[in-house]
Amino acid sequence: GLSGVTCSSVTGCWAVGSTTSSAFVLRTVGSSWSVAGSLANGDYAGITCPEGTVCWAVGDLAERSLIVKFTA
């Protein structure tokens, strides 16, 4: 399911979540969503974009902390 969403503008949103087998990062492209990244056997818990075009997702992979940088 979905575990975190952040928007730096009306059309600039990012979301993270997970399924039973993988984690995903989504971002808006125009008026639709696209996959920006995925991770097998992991879990994303949240995302923030303090600079608007640079985002940080946090979660875990194999019971270890995980921080991943995404750019628009």
Side-chain angles (χ1 to χ4, degrees):
L2 192 61
S3 57
V5 177
T6 187
C7 298
S8 57
S9 69
V10 174
T11 58
C13 295
W14 293 73
V16 294
S18 61
T19 65
T20 57
S21 61
S22 66
F24 57 84
V25 176
L26 305 173
R27 67 177 280 216
T28 53
V29 177
S31 61
S32 62
W33 290 89
S34 68
V35 176
S38 62
L39 181 66
N41 301 317
D43 181 38
Y44 286 120
I47 189 164
T48 187
C49 303
E51 298 175 30
T53 59
V54 177
C55 300
W56 297 91
V58 296
D60 65 79
L61 176 63
E63 298 181 21
R64 300 190 78 167
S65 297
L66 176 70
I67 301 171
V68 181
K69 180 181 178 181
F70 293 92
T71 56

